[in-house]
Amino acid sequence: MIKSLWNDQEAAELGNDPLKLRVYSSRLLGREADLVLHGGGNTSVKATSTDWLGDTEEVLYVKGSGWDLATIEAPGFAPVKLDTLRRLARLEALSDTDMVAMQRAAMTDPAAPDPSVEAILHAIIPFKYVDHTHADAVVTLTNTQGGEDKIRELYGDRVIVIPYVMPGFMLARTVADLTHDLDWGRVEGMILLNHGIFTFHDDARESYQRMIRLVHEAEEYLHARRAMTLATAAAEEVNHTALARIRRQVSLKAGRPLIARLDNSPEARGFADLPRVATIATRGPITPDHVIRTKRIPLLMDQAGNADLEAYEQAYRQYFEANQNTGLTCLDPAPRWAVWPGQGVIGFGTDGQNARIVADINAHTLRCIQYGEGLGGWQALPADKIFEVEYWELEQAKLKKTGNTGAPLTGQIALVTGAANGIGRACVNTLLAQGACVAGLDINPDIATAFPEKTAAIGLTYDVTDPAALQTAIAETIRTYGGLDILVSNVGLFPASRSIEDMDPELWRQCLDMNLTSAMTLVKYSIPYLRHGWEPAIVFIGSRNVPAPGPGAAAYSASKAGLNQLARVAALELAPDGVRVNSIHPDAVFDTALWTPEVIAARAASYGLSVADYKRRNLLKTEISSKNVAEMACAMAGSIFAKTTGAQVAIDGGNDRVI
Ligand code: ZN
């Protein structure tokens, strides 16, 4: 149940600054996922602004696009001339593209973000503060048979009810028409059927409190009718292979690799196991603005993880043909979420962040569907209304902005061993920068907290010489991202110099275990998933010692030579599955944990060289960094090496013994 988070003391510290109070209560709304999700909802405050000439005028500070209420700051509010917005509301017609252009032209700060498409609507509400959310409970009430009557029964005359109209200019126009003679002073809020709720007041606190109060009443309405009961089911063993397979099939339909997040929480499992899930899950989204992330309906899978994607595509194309009228281009026909009995719900996204958003929307969708069913029958907007938003000119523009960042490995999934520092860490960072989601493995427990929550990376603490631990790490990667495309076998041990005569058998064994056997085990257990990967590739981090060994490094050189043969055999064995296997032979990479400044200084001295010259002891007289190796690993994983397997590339600045 929702409750007010307003704190009088916190608010008092903001003084009477309207924008500061607007930021404060917007963030309070943003903290409640049951009110707004990922950029959903918007808020505004009407205030005066003084320009450089000293002229003051009334402006609407309205949430800018690209900002999230949970984290919004003052610069996230676009100042738009209030008079212009009010006059726009009186126009007979205006395309949404023109509306966006005119709103921008009316901004008093050209550097501010694009104002929300609901800015005109905010402007015509005659109160200082306006709060708008897509509260689950309210929208669910309207998404049932007789929803409008339920709203009137619950709120009586305290709210204005607006029938569903597409967001943007038409919605503002409709509200302007319907509230022409309204005495705004006698209403607390406005319910937009199948969309959301507005509250307003000249006092920031009261506008926020009204939102909380009205939403709370909707929750109590649901609760009193026992509609808030959710099905749950206990966790079951995840079918990782089937997950990787379905992710590949859906990616092929999308024409690009997608991240697949399995939600196998008791709630998601309970929903997927509902006997009527196939009929209730396919009626449509909670609100139309989810459709650009989730598509209108999910893919239905069977217990074994099979699904008829051809039928899904056909149905999607029929939906497009039935609703398009102005020569629109059909979007990819791949689903963005799937219901999997026995396992839960999968969200598919173009990258890690997008998949996370889809998964969050799913979690709310499956709750709202069950609430609606508890209230007599879940009923979403008809397909043609959903289509309008899915193919809305502004939503299409939004997709173009966030959909394709141009990063070459976007949507791909990588696993890197020895990821806590040095070359491994550089590989994780470069893979992330190139758009991939990454699982970083290391025995160093620091890896578990190495990547902040919002990044597309997870840190896993495992000992790669333990086969069971490796299997668990691979399974965790699949469960988190849905598959495995890129394997970077990097972990390595470089023992102190020792002649063969003095070899410690234990050290020899350790070196082979770490540098060779662990890599074999990693590849062995990864193959079933790489086979279902997107343009799959394995990159082995070898060593200059392979083509040019040195005295005193028998264990290291022999293990790396063995690794080199392993890579070549893997290239032969995995070519039929399309898995490319290539090796990098780095040399003299000094920015790793192996090389402390003291060790480098000692080595340089033993050669009679300065540290700088020692680091550049190669034909090109150049210094080699972990990043150079990581960039080569990414190149090998990507399209540059699309036609290459079994290759070995040196990154050593040129070495006459290797050439
Ligand atoms: Zn809205």
Side-chain angles (χ1 to χ4, degrees):
M1 288 284 190
I2 198 157
K3 55 179 193 299
S4 172
L5 303 171
W6 186 278
N7 180 312
D8 281 329
Q9 201 180 334
E10 283 172 8
E13 281 163 19
L14 304 171
N16 270 329
D17 186 322
L19 190 54
K20 280 186 184 163
L21 283 166
R22 181 65 285 176
V23 170
Y24 175 67
S25 66
S26 300
R27 286 175 161 229
L28 297 186
L29 294 174
R31 267 160 62 181
E32 284 287 357
D34 291 345
L35 290 178
V36 288
L37 275 177
H38 300 294
N42 41 61
T43 55
S44 68
V45 60
K46 298 174 183 78
T48 51
S49 128
T50 306
D51 67 16
W52 288 285
L53 299 172
D55 297 335
T56 47
E57 64 187 322
E58 272 196 296
V59 295
L60 177 82
Y61 285 97
V62 63
K63 196 197 95 165
S65 95
W67 286 80
D68 196 297
L69 287 183
T71 50
I72 198 160
E73 292 165 27
F77 286 92
V80 195
K81 292 174 185 171
L82 196 52
D83 183 52
T84 308
L85 290 172
R86 285 178 177 149
R87 286 171 61 196
L88 287 176
R90 291 200 287 272
L91 290 178
E92 269 314 308
L94 184 66
S95 81
D96 287 324
T97 305
D98 288 344
M99 177 187 75
V100 168
M102 295 181 84
Q103 285 181 178
R104 263 211 86 78
M107 290 188 346
T108 58
D109 175 3
D114 277 339
S116 157
V117 295
E118 280 159 342
I120 298 177
L121 178 47
H122 282 255
I124 61 173
I125 296 175
F127 290 96
K128 190 167 171 147
Y129 290 90
V130 176
D131 294 38
H132 167 49
T133 74
H134 301 152
D136 284 354
V138 174
V139 181
T140 298
L141 271 180
T142 75
N143 281 348
T144 58
Q145 280 155 26
E148 186 172 349
D149 296 338
K150 294 189 182 90
I151 290 290
R152 292 192 194 279
E153 176 197 340
L154 171 62
Y155 298 123
D157 291 339
R158 293 154 60 212
V159 299
I160 324 152
V161 180
I162 307 290
Y164 177 78
V165 181
M166 194 161 118
F169 179 73
M170 277 313 297
L171 176 60
R173 239 344 275 258
T174 305
V175 173
D177 288 347
L178 292 175
T179 57
H180 196 59
D181 303 322
L182 179 76
D183 172 8
W184 283 90
R186 67 167 184 78
V187 292
E188 292 170 39
M190 178 165 69
I191 307 294
L192 309 181
L193 297 179
N194 313 100
H195 175 162
I197 169 170
F198 277 78
T199 55
F200 28 78
H201 200 275
D202 285 336
D203 176 50
R205 180 178 184 276
E206 182 54 20
S207 184
Y208 168 79
Q209 298 286 30
R210 282 180 169 184
M211 176 66 71
I212 300 302
R213 221 156 43 223
L214 292 174
V215 173
H216 184 78
E217 287 173 32
E219 287 180 340
E220 288 201 311
Y221 183 96
L222 287 164
H223 196 65
R225 283 154 187 79
R226 298 178 198 285
M228 286 181 108
T229 331
L230 297 173
T232 57
E236 216 166 89
E237 183 92 7
V238 174
N239 185 342
H240 297 98
T241 315
L243 178 58
R245 191 180 60 225
I246 196 77
R247 178 235 173 200
R248 175 176 168 79
Q249 290 166 348
V250 172
S251 297
L252 285 170
K253 280 278 174 247
R256 62 193 295 175
L258 297 176
I259 303 300
R261 283 186 85 97
L262 173 68
D263 178 357
N264 64 345
S265 63
E267 263 187 32
R269 287 275 338 276
F271 177 79
D273 287 356
L274 286 172
R276 279 156 46 72
V277 72
T279 63
I280 59 173
T282 50
R283 290 183 195 163
I286 311 177
T287 90
D289 65 46
H290 289 169
V291 71
I292 55 155
R293 313 265 196 201
T294 62
K295 288 257 166 78
R296 194 176 74 86
I297 55 173
L299 176 72
L300 298 171
M301 297 166 64
D302 68 13
Q303 199 104 18
N306 300 309
D308 191 346
L309 271 154
E310 299 310 317
Y312 187 95
E313 173 172 4
Q314 214 179 358
Y316 186 79
R317 293 200 187 280
Q318 274 165 9
Y319 154 79
F320 177 77
E321 289 304 329
N323 292 294
Q324 74 120 357
N325 48 17
T326 50
L328 296 166
T329 310
C330 190
L331 298 173
D332 77 65
R336 288 300 189 272
W337 69 295
V339 177
W340 188 0
Q343 296 279 331
V345 164
I346 310 173
F348 299 100
T350 47
D351 57 25
Q353 168 69 1
N354 184 251
R356 194 193 303 263
I357 292 173
V358 173
D360 286 348
I361 291 175
N362 288 343
H364 286 262
T365 303
L366 56 89
R367 268 179 232 164
C368 290
I369 289 176
Q370 291 177 83
Y371 298 164
E373 280 294 284
L375 218 54
W378 171 255
Q379 181 182 292
L381 276 173
D384 59 331
K385 299 283 184 230
I386 303 293
F387 183 89
E388 269 177 13
V389 174
E390 188 175 357
Y391 283 86
W392 186 17
E393 52 191 273
L394 298 177
E395 293 295 1
Q396 294 294 300
K398 238 193 253 176
L399 275 186
K400 272 179 205 133
K401 261 188 234 164
T402 56
N404 193 348
T405 55
L409 301 176
T410 298
Q412 290 197 271
I413 301 155
L415 190 153
V416 179
T417 62
N421 48 51
I423 291 172
R425 187 59 183 264
C427 284
V428 174
N429 291 339
T430 311
L431 285 159
L432 278 175
Q434 297 202 9
C437 288
V438 192
L441 241 70
D442 209 291
I443 198 166
N444 181 344
D446 290 348
I447 195 76
T449 50
F451 310 109
E453 213 208 313
K454 289 269 161 83
T455 57
I458 47 165
L460 305 172
T461 312
Y462 288 108
D463 177 358
V464 295
T465 61
D466 174 357
L470 268 181
Q471 284 183 76
T472 310
I474 294 165
E476 263 189 68
T477 308
I478 308 296
R479 210 187 65 69
T480 310
Y481 299 122
L484 183 59
D485 308 314
I486 300 163
L487 197 61
V488 180
S489 171
N490 161 69
V491 74
L493 176 70
F494 188 79
S497 179
R498 190 168 289 220
S499 69
I500 297 169
E501 191 174 13
D502 294 334
M503 182 61 68
D504 170 2
E506 182 53 25
L507 187 76
W508 171 265
R509 193 191 58 75
Q510 267 180 16
C511 206
L512 260 73
D513 267 3
M514 179 74 90
N515 293 355
L516 176 57
T517 310
S518 79
M520 186 280 297
T521 315
L522 176 72
V523 173
K524 171 185 162 71
Y525 290 125
S526 298
I527 288 172
Y529 305 111
L530 287 169
R531 199 169 267 146
H532 295 303
W534 184 271
E535 296 173 1
I538 303 175
V539 178
F540 283 98
I541 307 298
S543 170
R544 183 266 300 167
N545 284 44
V546 174
Y556 182 77
S557 302
S559 62
K560 285 289 187 182
L563 184 73
N564 201 52
Q565 285 302 81
L566 176 73
R568 297 171 71 196
V569 174
L572 293 169
E573 289 186 4
L574 298 177
D577 289 311
V579 182
R580 296 168 290 120
V581 185
N582 295 294
S583 298
I584 301 172
H585 294 316
D587 187 29
V589 180
F590 294 111
D591 60 343
T592 71
L594 297 174
W595 295 93
T596 60
E598 297 74 37
V599 172
I600 297 174
R603 284 293 180 91
S606 77
Y607 284 95
L609 293 170
S610 71
V611 167
D613 286 344
Y614 175 68
K615 285 183 173 177
R616 297 193 188 97
R617 228 162 37 99
N618 54 54
L619 295 172
L620 293 171
K621 302 279 175 239
T622 185
E623 209 174 305
I624 296 138
S625 71
S626 295
K627 191 159 188 281
N628 299 138
V629 181
E631 281 171 348
M632 176 56 76
C634 285
M636 285 180 165
S639 62
I640 298 170
F641 275 69
K643 307 296 161 79
T644 304
T645 193
Q648 302 172 42
V649 177
I651 301 193
D652 55 8
N655 181 316
D656 50 8
R657 288 183 59 207
V658 174
I659 291 171

